[in-house]
Amino acid sequence: MASLGATVLVVEDEPELAGALERSLIAHGYQVLSTGSGQEALELFARAHPDLVLLDLLLPDLSGLEVCRRIRSVSSTPIIVLSVKNSEHDKVEALDLGADDYVAKPFGIAEVLARIRVALRRMERQDRHSLEERLRIGPLVVDLGSRRVLVNGREVALTPTEYELLRIFVMHRGKLLTRQMLLQMLWGASSHDRMHSLHVYVAQLRQKIEPRPGEPRLILTIPGVGYRFSDEVEAAGEFDSRQS
Ligand code: CA
């Protein structure tokens, strides 16, 4: 298991929850640092360089959003936010600030462990692929050098904006991208009022790269938040056999 021995910083001020997370993480082979304070979390982060941060948004001193912002300004270490139910706004703001994912409270430990594995795997792949120009995700191949895109071995013609959107998705695969982040990355300062355009480009891209555009397996919609590009599609054969 590649993530074995990874260090997780748990930032959670509810002692029972923090304790349960710590015990489960240790039982699954992780090293754990834990604090209930946002300020101490930043100090621990700077000192210990954890591989991943589990971050509660409601802390007694600094807000979790501020902790997220400060960590992201110096590091790309995965951050998974623990958000209270009905705090949709904070959750989306945390993602906009660069958090990688969220788990809504109350949550099952198994769900948290699964999200941690996904985030760590994505980080490892980014490290490994940072020098490679060809990305393969299930039936899809994106050649970042030549800007060619293949689906099941057949070349697909994309417009410049469709290609840019796909490039953003595959570079951040497995990570939750809010609509605001996608707008910013696609159009920067001129992204104002282009939400509808984003939906149109996502639909067009699905038509071109999804074997079944009506049942997306690559570009997944996360209701109320944005999109997640799958990084769990491994078997191209499964796609082939599903095509009629
Ligand atoms: Ca709390």
mmCIF file of all heavy atoms in Angstrom, residues 12-14 56 58-59 105, ligand 1:
data_model
loop_
_atom_site.group_PDB
_atom_site.id
_atom_site.type_symbol
_atom_site.label_atom_id
_atom_site.label_comp_id
_atom_site.label_asym_id
_atom_site.label_seq_id
_atom_site.Cartn_x
_atom_site.Cartn_y
_atom_site.Cartn_z
ATOM 1 N N GLU A 12 -9.086 18.986 14.751
ATOM 2 C CA GLU A 12 -10.470 18.756 15.178
ATOM 3 C C GLU A 12 -10.551 19.013 16.673
ATOM 4 O O GLU A 12 -9.803 18.427 17.438
ATOM 5 C CB GLU A 12 -10.856 17.306 14.839
ATOM 6 C CG GLU A 12 -12.157 16.840 15.452
ATOM 7 C CD GLU A 12 -13.335 17.680 14.997
ATOM 8 O OE1 GLU A 12 -13.684 17.606 13.813
ATOM 9 O OE2 GLU A 12 -13.879 18.445 15.826
ATOM 10 N N ASP A 13 -11.458 19.913 17.077
ATOM 11 C CA ASP A 13 -11.509 20.297 18.493
ATOM 12 C C ASP A 13 -12.505 19.485 19.314
ATOM 13 O O ASP A 13 -12.592 19.690 20.525
ATOM 14 C CB ASP A 13 -11.813 21.796 18.625
ATOM 15 C CG ASP A 13 -13.158 22.154 18.039
ATOM 16 O OD1 ASP A 13 -13.470 21.645 16.938
ATOM 17 O OD2 ASP A 13 -13.899 22.919 18.660
ATOM 18 N N GLU A 14 -13.260 18.582 18.685
ATOM 19 C CA GLU A 14 -14.127 17.715 19.478
ATOM 20 C C GLU A 14 -13.319 16.491 19.885
ATOM 21 O O GLU A 14 -12.968 15.672 19.036
ATOM 22 C CB GLU A 14 -15.347 17.287 18.654
ATOM 23 C CG GLU A 14 -16.295 18.433 18.342
ATOM 24 C CD GLU A 14 -17.284 18.089 17.229
ATOM 25 O OE1 GLU A 14 -17.911 17.020 17.321
ATOM 26 O OE2 GLU A 14 -17.394 18.875 16.282
ATOM 27 N N ASP A 56 -11.188 20.378 10.398
ATOM 28 C CA ASP A 56 -12.516 20.818 10.822
ATOM 29 C C ASP A 56 -12.635 22.315 10.523
ATOM 30 O O ASP A 56 -11.675 23.060 10.690
ATOM 31 C CB ASP A 56 -12.671 20.552 12.330
ATOM 32 C CG ASP A 56 -14.029 20.970 12.845
ATOM 33 O OD1 ASP A 56 -15.003 20.931 12.059
ATOM 34 O OD2 ASP A 56 -14.123 21.337 14.036
ATOM 35 N N LEU A 58 -14.900 24.472 11.956
ATOM 36 C CA LEU A 58 -15.277 25.255 13.145
ATOM 37 C C LEU A 58 -14.306 24.965 14.272
ATOM 38 O O LEU A 58 -14.398 23.954 14.955
ATOM 39 C CB LEU A 58 -16.695 24.881 13.587
ATOM 40 C CG LEU A 58 -17.841 25.655 12.933
ATOM 41 C CD1 LEU A 58 -19.169 25.126 13.450
ATOM 42 C CD2 LEU A 58 -17.710 27.150 13.195
ATOM 43 N N LEU A 59 -13.343 25.864 14.444
ATOM 44 C CA LEU A 59 -12.327 25.705 15.483
ATOM 45 C C LEU A 59 -12.450 26.851 16.476
ATOM 46 O O LEU A 59 -12.987 27.904 16.138
ATOM 47 C CB LEU A 59 -10.924 25.709 14.846
ATOM 48 C CG LEU A 59 -10.669 24.567 13.841
ATOM 49 C CD1 LEU A 59 -9.394 24.821 13.043
ATOM 50 C CD2 LEU A 59 -10.594 23.235 14.560
ATOM 51 N N LYS A 105 -20.110 15.992 8.199
ATOM 52 C CA LYS A 105 -20.425 15.410 9.507
ATOM 53 C C LYS A 105 -21.939 15.231 9.624
ATOM 54 O O LYS A 105 -22.673 16.102 9.165
ATOM 55 C CB LYS A 105 -19.960 16.336 10.635
ATOM 56 C CG LYS A 105 -18.475 16.478 10.771
ATOM 57 C CD LYS A 105 -18.208 17.419 11.950
ATOM 58 C CE LYS A 105 -16.710 17.620 12.146
ATOM 59 N NZ LYS A 105 -16.429 18.548 13.252
HETATM 60 CA CA CA B 1 -15.329 21.962 15.635
#
